C-alpha cells in the first residue's frame, strides 16, 4: 500500500512521455496528417497551430472525461465533435482577435482542428475511459508531442525554402532557396523521409 | 451560356487544379489508409462524393438562409459538423437497409467519413471563397468529391504495383506512400495556372 502513490506518479510520468516519442501522434500513430502537411511551410504558423491544438485537446479532454459516465455509445462521436467544435470556435475567435496575421495564414485550417483525428482519438482512447487527471496529463503530453513534430518539420522546410528560421535569416545569402519545399511537394517528401528516418532509428534501437 | 461556362471552369478547377488532396492537404487520412486496394478506394471515393455533395449543399443553404448577418454566425462550425455527422448517419442507414453487402465491406470507414477533413474543409472553402450561388456550390462540392475519388484511385493503382517493388526496409508502408504522394503532387502542379 505504501508505494501506491509512487506507482501512480510513475504512471502519470509515462503517460506524459508517451506522447513525445513512443506514441508520438504524427510519427507513430499517423494521426492529424492534414494540419501537419498544410501549416508547416514556416515555423511561426506551425507553432500557432500546435498551441491551438494543445488548447483544444486540453479543454476537450477535460470535458469528455467529466461526462464519460453519461455518454451513450452510439452518440459518443457526435458528443465528442460537438465539444471539440465549441472549443475550436473559441480558439478561432481568439486568434482572429489577437493574432489576425496568423489567423489569415492558417485560414480554414484552424476550424479544421475539429476533424483533427488526434483530438477525437484521445477523446475516444483516453478521456472517455480515464479519470480527470490522467486525461489532462495525456492531453498535455500528446499536445506537446504534436507541436514539437510540427516545429521540426516546419523548421526543415523553412530553412530549405527561404534560408531562414522564425523569419531570421541564418544561411548565407549565396544559398539558393528551394522553392519546391514551400509547395505541397516539399511537405509530402519531407514528412515521408522523416518517417523513414524515425523507422530506421527505432529499428536500430530494438 | 455564360453561367454554364463558369460552372464548367469551376468544376474542372476543383477536380484537377485545386484538387483538395494534392493542393490543400485535405482528406489525407483516408488517402493513406484506404488506398491499399483499388476497389475499396473507389467505394470510399463514391461514399465521400455523396456525403460531400449533400453536406456542401446543406451547409451553403444553412449558412445563407439562417446564419449570415446574424449573431448566430459564431455557431457556424458547430452547425457544419452537425450537418456532416447527420449526412453520414443518413448514408449509413440507407446503405445498411438497401445495400447490406456494400455496407459490410465499408466497415469502420463509413463512420470515419465524419472526420474526413475533405468534407468539412470543402464547406469552409465554399464559405471562404464567397460562393453566393446555390448551383455553383452544388457543382463545386460534387467536383470536390470526384477529385477526391480520382486522387485516391490513382494512389491505389500505384500502391498495388508498389507491392512488387523493392523498397528500402525503413521506408516500407507510410513513408513510401507519402513520397509517392509527393511525386504525384509534383505531376499535378503542371496543371497550375491553367485556369485563373
Amino acid at each position: 500500500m505504501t508505494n501506491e502513490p509512487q506507482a501512480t506518479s510513475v504512471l502519470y510520468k509515462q503517460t506524459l512521455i508517451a506522447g513525445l516519442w513512443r506514441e508520438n501522434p504524427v510519427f507513430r500513430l499517423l494521426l492529424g496528417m492534414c494540419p501537419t502537411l498544410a501549416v508547416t511551410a514556416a515555423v511561426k504558423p506551425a507553432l500557432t497551430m500546435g498551441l491551438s491544438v494543445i488548447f483544444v485537446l486540453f479543454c476537450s479532454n477535460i470535458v469528455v472525461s467529466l461526462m464519460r459516465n453519461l455518454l451513450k455509445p452510439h452518440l459518443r462521436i457526435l458528443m465528442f465533435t460537438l465539444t471539440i467544435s465549441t472549443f475550436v470556435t473559441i480558439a478561432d475567435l481568439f486568434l482572429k482577435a489577437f493574432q489576425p496575421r496568423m489567423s489569415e495564414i492558417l485560414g480554414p485550417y484552424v476550424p479544421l482542428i475539429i476533424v483533427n483525428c488526434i483530438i477525437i482519438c484521445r477523446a475516444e482512447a483516453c478521456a472517455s475511459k480515464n479519470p480527470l487527471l490522467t486525461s489532462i496529463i495525456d492531453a498535455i503530453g500528446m499536445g506537446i508531442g504534436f507541436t514539437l513534430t510540427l516545429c521540426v518539420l516546419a523548421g526543415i522546410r523553412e530553412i530549405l525554402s527561404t534560408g531562414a528560421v522564425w523569419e531570421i535569416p541564418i544561411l548565407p545569402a549565396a544559398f539558393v532557396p528551394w522553392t519546391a519545399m514551400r509547395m505541397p511537394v516539399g511537405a509530402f517528401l519531407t514528412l515521408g523521409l522523416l518517417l523513414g528516418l524515425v523507422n530506421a532509428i527505432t529499428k536500430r534501437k530494438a | 451560356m455564360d453561367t454554364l461556362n463558369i460552372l464548367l471552369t469551376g468544376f474542372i478547377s476543383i477536380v484537377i487544379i485545386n484538387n483538395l488532396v494534392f493542393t490543400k492537404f485535405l482528406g489525407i487520412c483516408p488517402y493513406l489508409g484506404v488506398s491499399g486496394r483499388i476497389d475499396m478506394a473507389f467505394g470510399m471515393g463514391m461514399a465521400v462524393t455523396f456525403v460531400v455533395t449533400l453536406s456542401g449543399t446543406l451547409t451553403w443553404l444553412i449558412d445563407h438562409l439562417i446564419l449570415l448577418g446574424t449573431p448566430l454566425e459564431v455557431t457556424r462550425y458547430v452547425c457544419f459538423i452537425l450537418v456532416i455527422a447527420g449526412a453520414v448517419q443518413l448514408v449509413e442507414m440507407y446503405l445498411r437497409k438497401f445495400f447490406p453487402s456494400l455496407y459490410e465491406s465499408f466497415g469502420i470507414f463509413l463512420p470515419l467519413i465524419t472526420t474526413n477533413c475533405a468534407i468539412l474543409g470543402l464547406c469552409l472553402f465554399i464559405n471562404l471563397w464567397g460562393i453566393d450561388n446555390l448551383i455553383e456550390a452544388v457543382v463545386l462540392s460534387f467536383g470536390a468529391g470526384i477529385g477526391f475519388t480520382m486522387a485516391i484511385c490513382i494512389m491505389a493503382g500505384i500502391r498495388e504495383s508498389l507491392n512488387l517493388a523493392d523498397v528500402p526496409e525503413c521506408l516500407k508502408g507510410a513513408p513510401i506512400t507519402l513520397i509517392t504522394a509527393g511525386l504525384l503532387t509534383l505531376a499535378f502542379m503542371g496543371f497550375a495556372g491553367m485556369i485563373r
Side-chain angles (χ1 to χ4, degrees):
Chain A
M1 280 308 275
T2 46
N3 61 0
E4 203 175 48
Q6 209 182 351
T8 42
S9 79
V10 167
L11 188 73
Y12 288 149
K13 211 170 152 194
Q14 271 179 352
T15 321
L16 187 63
I17 293 178
L20 296 185
W21 178 257
R22 194 164 43 82
E23 282 182 30
N24 184 301
V26 176
F27 287 149
R28 288 309 169 73
L29 308 177
L30 292 181
L31 290 177
M33 299 309 253
C34 312
T36 314
L37 292 166
V39 302
T40 51
V43 177
K44 260 184 197 174
L47 189 67
T48 317
M49 184 67 173
L51 293 180
S52 324
V53 168
I54 292 183
F55 165 77
V56 175
L57 192 57
F58 185 76
C59 296
S60 73
N61 257 14
I62 291 179
V63 173
V64 169
S65 173
L66 286 177
M67 69 180 185
R68 68 183 188 280
N69 294 326
L70 304 170
L71 286 175
K72 299 270 179 295
H74 59 284
L75 282 179
R76 72 180 190 287
I77 300 283
L78 192 64
M79 290 311 294
F80 294 163
T81 41
L82 279 184
T83 317
I84 296 165
S85 56
T86 313
F87 288 114
V88 169
T89 309
I90 296 173
D92 186 50
L93 291 177
F94 180 85
L95 280 182
K96 268 192 189 132
F98 294 102
Q99 294 283 336
R101 197 173 142 251
M102 277 301 127
S103 168
E104 214 165 276
I105 295 179
L106 291 175
Y109 293 103
V110 177
L112 278 175
I113 298 177
I114 300 174
V115 287
N116 190 324
C117 328
I118 296 174
I119 299 175
I120 295 180
C121 165
R122 286 342 281 176
E124 166 82 16
C126 179
S128 62
K129 297 190 184 84
N130 287 303
L132 190 58
L133 197 57
T134 321
S135 312
I136 292 179
I137 291 174
D138 178 80
I140 295 175
M142 280 287 163
I144 292 177
F146 180 67
T147 311
L148 281 182
T149 320
L150 280 194
C151 289
V152 169
L153 197 62
I156 297 176
R157 283 183 66 195
E158 193 177 357
I159 204 170
L160 289 178
S161 69
T162 61
V165 170
W166 196 262
E167 293 173 11
I168 303 166
I170 52 166
L171 287 182
F175 175 76
V176 180
W178 303 7
T179 318
M181 291 307 274
R182 209 171 47 224
M183 305 201 165
V185 194
F188 280 114
L189 287 185
T190 318
L191 186 61
L193 293 175
L194 265 183
L195 274 179
L197 190 70
V198 169
N199 279 354
I201 293 174
T202 334
K203 281 258 165 57
R204 186 163 306 170
K205 263 190 187 164
Chain B
M1 205 57 209
D2 223 28
T3 9
L4 194 67
N5 226 335
I6 293 174
L7 290 182
L8 205 62
T9 3
F11 184 76
I12 294 175
S13 133
I14 198 141
V15 172
I16 297 177
I17 302 157
N18 290 324
N19 189 302
L20 288 182
V21 178
F22 292 135
T23 61
K24 302 280 190 289
F25 307 106
L26 297 173
I28 297 291
C29 303
Y31 182 61
L32 297 178
V34 197
S35 59
R37 273 178 37 219
I38 203 159
D39 51 340
M40 284 287 280
F42 187 71
M44 183 72 184
M46 284 291 105
V48 167
T49 307
F50 184 75
V51 175
V52 87
T53 315
L54 198 63
S55 49
T57 314
L58 282 178
T59 49
W60 188 90
L61 283 175
I62 288 178
D63 207 26
H64 279 251
L65 296 183
I66 304 173
L67 296 181
L68 266 192
T70 63
L72 284 174
E73 254 180 87
V74 292
T75 63
R76 180 177 286 140
Y77 307 149
V78 182
C79 293
F80 280 15
I81 199 73
L82 259 183
V83 167
I84 295 170
V88 172
Q89 199 81 47
L90 198 71
V91 174
E92 196 179 341
M93 290 191 310
Y94 181 79
L95 281 183
R96 187 160 47 189
K97 183 94 170 92
F98 294 102
F99 302 98
S101 59
L102 198 62
Y103 176 78
E104 289 297 318
S105 65
F106 274 138
I108 180 73
F109 294 118
L110 209 50
L112 274 186
I113 298 178
T114 314
T115 59
N116 184 332
C117 346
I119 294 171
L120 183 62
L122 180 89
C123 300
L124 293 169
F125 271 116
I126 285 186
N127 180 272
L128 193 75
W129 290 331
I131 306 294
D132 52 3
N133 181 334
L134 177 62
I135 304 175
E136 215 171 317
V138 176
V139 169
L140 277 185
S141 358
F142 181 65
I146 297 292
F148 178 80
T149 313
M150 187 186 69
I152 201 172
C153 283
I154 295 178
M155 194 63 193
I158 296 180
R159 278 184 76 178
E160 276 188 355
S161 23
L162 208 59
N163 284 338
L164 306 170
D166 182 22
V167 180
E169 189 59 37
C170 63
L171 287 183
K172 271 192 181 140
I176 194 70
T177 315
L178 277 169
I179 293 173
T180 318
L183 296 178
L184 262 180
T185 331
L186 201 57
F188 268 79
M189 256 166 61
F191 290 112
M194 204 165 83
I195 298 172
R196 264 181 287 181

